[in-house]
């Protein structure tokens, strides 16, 4: 199966030996996108601001191959501190990105030890 690297200036550069995304067959795998802007600057101190930045980064990686958020079939959300207040704040932002998507992605939200950020999100999209 042919694999293609996805690289865009509209998302943060990888901070290690990985790709922003990989297209393999009909799937796009987006690496964990932190709550930072494409220039690497933290998108603010709140779950909301970092969730929005993470989802914008995912949207921009997908766009490099003509895909959209509505093409996402699975999404994994990592919060540095998993509690009801943070999940509620995260869900408010998350819902705005998927409100017009008829079939919402399968999702998991977990608590993770993140380095210097409060949110990191990965995604898998299906495209033709």
């Amino acid at each position: 199966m042919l694999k293609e690297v996805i690289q865009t200036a509209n998302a943060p550069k990888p901070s290690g030996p990985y790709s922003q995304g990989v297209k393999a067959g009909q799937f796009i795998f987006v690496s964990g996108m932190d709550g930072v802007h494409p220039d690497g600057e933290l998108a603010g101190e709140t779950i909301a601001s970092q969730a929005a930045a993470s989802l914008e980064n995912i949207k921009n990686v997908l766009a490099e191959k003509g895909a959209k958020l509505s093409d996402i079939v699975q999404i994994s959300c990592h919060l540095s501190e998993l509690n009801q207040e943070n999940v509620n704040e995260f869900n408010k932002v998350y819902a705005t990105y998927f409100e017009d998507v008829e079939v919402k992605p399968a999702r998991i939200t977990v608590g993770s030890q993140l380095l210097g950020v409060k949110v990191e999100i990965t995604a898998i999209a299906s495209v033709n």
Side-chain angles (χ1 to χ4, degrees), residues 10 55 74:
N10 296 320
L55 290 164
Q74 197 279 333

Side-chain angles (χ1 to χ4, degrees), residues 97-117:
Y97 281 83
F98 293 95
E99 65 188 350
D100 295 330
V101 177
E102 184 177 342
V103 178
K104 309 287 191 251
R107 179 182 128 181
I108 186 169
T109 303
V110 298
S112 296
Q113 292 182 331
L114 302 174
L115 297 174
V117 295

Side-chain angles (χ1 to χ4, degrees), residues 2 8 14 20 27 30 35 42 60 64 68 70 77 81 86 90 99 102 117 120 123 126:
L2 179 65
T8 178
Q20 288 174 323
F27 293 101
V30 180
L42 189 64
N60 292 336
E64 281 297 304
K68 305 176 296 258
S70 60
C77 307
E81 190 175 335
N86 285 347
F90 178 82
E99 65 188 350
E102 184 177 342
V117 295
E120 183 173 13
S126 177

Side-chain angles (χ1 to χ4, degrees), residues 26-41:
Q26 73 179 50
F27 293 101
I28 295 175
F29 300 85
V30 180
S31 289
M33 291 290 148
D34 295 333
V36 298
H37 296 297
D39 64 5
E41 183 178 325

Side-chain angles (χ1 to χ4, degrees), residues 41-110:
E41 183 178 325
L42 189 64
E45 294 295 330
T46 67
I47 295 286
S49 62
Q50 291 189 26
S54 296
L55 290 164
E56 286 295 321
N57 291 331
I58 289 171
K59 186 167 71 171
N60 292 336
V61 171
L62 292 173
E64 281 297 304
K65 291 296 177 185
K68 305 176 296 258
L69 292 176
S70 60
D71 295 316
I72 295 174
V73 294
Q74 197 279 333
I75 197 161
S76 297
C77 307
H78 300 260
L79 303 180
S80 63
E81 190 175 335
L82 190 65
N83 60 48
Q84 196 60 57
E85 181 180 338
N86 285 347
V87 171
N88 290 344
E89 183 179 352
F90 178 82
N91 277 337
K92 284 180 186 175
V93 172
Y94 181 91
T96 65
Y97 281 83
F98 293 95
E99 65 188 350
D100 295 330
V101 177
E102 184 177 342
V103 178
K104 309 287 191 251
R107 179 182 128 181
I108 186 169
T109 303
V110 298

